[in-house]
Amino acid sequence: MNIRELARRSGVSTATVSRALNDRAEVSEATRAKIRRLASELGYAPNEPARTLVRRRSDTIGLVWDSGQEAMGQHNPFLLGLLSAVRTALSDADYHLMLLTTPGAEDQDGAHLQAVQRHNLEGVIVLTTPPDDRCLRVLADSTVPCAGIDTAFTGPRTVRVSSDNAAGAEAAVQHLYELGHRRIATVTGPLHLPPAAERLAGYLRACSRLGLSVPPEYVTEGDFFLASGEAAGKRLLAAPDRPTAIFAAGDQMAIGAIHAAADAGLTVPGDLAVVGFDDIDAAALVRPALSTVAQDQRGLGVAAVEALRGLIDATTVDAAQAQPRIIPTRLLIRGSSRPGV
Amino acid sequence: MNIRELARRSGVSTATVSRALNDRAEVSEATRAKIRRLASELGYAPNEPARTLVRRRSDTIGLVWDSGQEAMGQHNPFLLGLLSAVRTALSDADYHLMLLTTPGAEDQDGAHLQAVQRHNLEGVIVLTTPPDDRCLRVLADSTVPCAGIDTAFTGPRTVRVSSDNAAGAEAAVQHLYELGHRRIATVTGPLHLPPAAERLAGYLRACSRLGLSVPPEYVTEGDFFLASGEAAGKRLLAAPDRPTAIFAAGDQMAIGAIHAAADAGLTVPGDLAVVGFDDIDAAALVRPALSTVAQDQRGLGVAAVEALRGLIDATTVDAAQAQPRIIPTRLLIRGSSRPGV
DNA sequence: CCGCCGATCGGAAACGTTTACGGCTATCGA
DNA sequence: TCGATAGCCGTAAACGTTTCCGATCGGCGG
């Protein structure tokens, strides 16, 4: 069942059918209705490849996410949430979604760019991918519109969407301060990653604003994984002026710190309050439940799609679109910081 | 840069270029090499929509996953792992991947089938979607090849890929038996879901094989979430002949049972051993770390792709392909069952 | 020397859609 | 009454590939 067959049965030409189905004005309401009815009766579905071919646009955008961490068996915890958010936001905007696969080492670096050309993709959304991905560099350097969530790469038509990491960290410290804590330490992520650096900056800003002293040993660089948080916690809790609270830049590290406290015979949140970042699934499952700074996955997804549409529609590179979109976070207070919860 | 331009620069016809790039035999090695070189020099990438149009096949398969649980803020824990596995398995088989979006309620039920026709998709992989999805029923009833992972739906060209839930459960009980436990209870998932029913069957089979008695109160139906496991644990541990071990059909419920033990003043695994199912991220983060039956995500993905290819290539519906592919599981022994780990 | 054959290539017709262009009818103002 | 105009529609040319038919050209056996 193609458009010619449908045209024949409707008693009109293919041009009219096309116009009717695409809501063009030059068709009378009567014939439009008849064509519509016949189309759904016959189960006609327009052939997208053919449309793409002649229209030179596919209404499709590509999606890339990190595969580096997967190789280590470690998934970024909220990737799935982002994925869902992006998916629904894109389908709300009437876009189709194609998954791009990061090639193996033997393949060439231009794989993503090639895929964009081959499929006439109109843009790409990149999820939490390390900025040193060479395959991604090629893409970002091209004129393909790109929106990166929780990742930092720059290029001629690129926009970054990210949580307000600094404000989130600041809110966490503020929360601990209001609970009476004055000795607040932090465990950061790898500081070459922008989110980790921003969370540290927020922590430092809050401390300075609140007049808290930050001895150098209160800042430990971790790697976002459990063990680094546990090690940092162990060291911090063994020190003479041990902190009464720890802000960890990732939930896994926060849970590690709680383990360290338990090993040291300390209770949480009584002897040590802990706040994490990200609100991974496990945060609600551990005991005590982990207070944490939750990212607005849906908001991130919607903003990314919106920003990408801006890039696509913009004929000239507007300076206003080049600057990053910052999405607010939300502090979830649970048992690891507030007693009796 | 299209094939005509490339042909002009190579001094051959478009037909020859097409043959060269598609590894057809009727081209001399010399011209093939020249065309190849020129193509990569000029950055030529064939236009997939045009190829799809004329070849009547897109080398693309669709991917559907459940959106029901997401609405509740609950993600299926290993969906992401499956996604990655399917993605790499498909790209290894030189397929492209398109994400299908489950439509909102106002949309029609044929959305998935329509998407398949529109994009010329050659098959669909369905991930952990409830079998009562109407949109999916339409798809399964059509002649579109479908492979469902961890879900059960039947249709004319459908194959199911699933973990060996029964054997996994059996191994868990066996493990507990070997540790000396004789009173082993279980918390199941919703029994109308095949995986939950199969895990219960495996539990029952192991108990009967090992000569363990299963009083009716030892079997509790949960909902895979934390609270149901905690409630079941609380009830079981308050009973006079309380079990010394619990096999939970899901990790969240297993963690809930551990919480119940802690509330009852019991130690894990000393007073109560617990084994879960799925190996979600949190299983390695809680304390004690959760023993669990891990699913082979990569294996599931590879098997699904393989089965789907079989369905696609098969001209006639082969009976051998209709029966489900069962992927073995792996028992991970951690601190919640074995002391001193 | 002739016909045949294999290897290699080109011409041109599809594939299903959109859209520029033009044609027809009816209405309307002058 | 006539030209202009608006509304509606059809014809046909693209879009970039693949592939069916031939065509050409050596080589080779008879």
Side-chain angles (χ1 to χ4, degrees), chain A residues 3 15 18 22 24 44 47 51 54:
Chain A
I3 201 178
S18 174
N22 290 19
R24 298 236 173 279
Y44 166 76
N47 184 302
R51 298 189 72 217
V54 61

Side-chain angles (χ1 to χ4, degrees), chain B residues 297-318:
Chain B
Q297 299 173 336
R298 195 170 307 266
L300 288 167
V302 170
V305 171
E306 194 189 67
L308 192 59
R309 290 183 59 161
L311 282 182
I312 293 172
D313 295 342
T315 152
T316 167
V317 179
D318 192 341

Side-chain angles (χ1 to χ4, degrees), chain A residues 276-297:
Chain A
F277 209 114
D278 286 346
D279 190 31
I280 65 176
D281 290 337
L285 301 178
V286 295
R287 270 201 169 181
L290 184 64
S291 293
T292 190
V293 181
Q295 303 200 42
D296 180 7
Q297 299 173 334

Side-chain angles (χ1 to χ4, degrees), chain A residues 180-236:
Chain A
H181 295 279
R182 293 299 177 267
R183 295 204 307 277
I184 306 175
T186 188
V187 190
T188 76
L191 289 176
H192 65 95
L193 298 180
E198 291 163 12
R199 291 170 196 182
L200 173 59
Y203 162 84
L204 292 175
R205 191 168 55 190
C207 288
S208 111
R209 182 167 53 78
L210 298 169
L212 303 179
S213 73
V214 181
E217 64 270 22
Y218 270 23
V219 177
T220 314
E221 180 169 350
D223 61 4
F224 279 132
F225 294 129
L226 185 77
S228 71
E230 192 165 347
K234 198 174 304 274
R235 205 173 39 68
L236 282 167

Side-chain angles (χ1 to χ4, degrees), chain A residues 37-92:
Chain A
R37 188 174 48 76
L38 228 46
S40 86
E41 267 180 22
L42 300 176
Y44 166 76
N47 184 302
E48 287 293 340
R51 298 189 72 217
T52 299
L53 184 57
V54 61
R55 295 193 322 154
R56 274 101 171 283
R57 54 174 306 184
S58 61
D59 292 334
T60 303
I61 76 108
L63 191 63
V64 177
W65 79 78
D66 177 30
S67 63
Q69 296 187 9
E70 287 163 19
M72 308 164 43
Q74 280 288 354
H75 299 285
N76 190 318
F78 42 76
L79 223 157
L80 185 59
L82 279 183
L83 223 70
S84 303
V86 165
R87 185 185 60 163
T88 60
L90 274 175
S91 91
D92 286 349

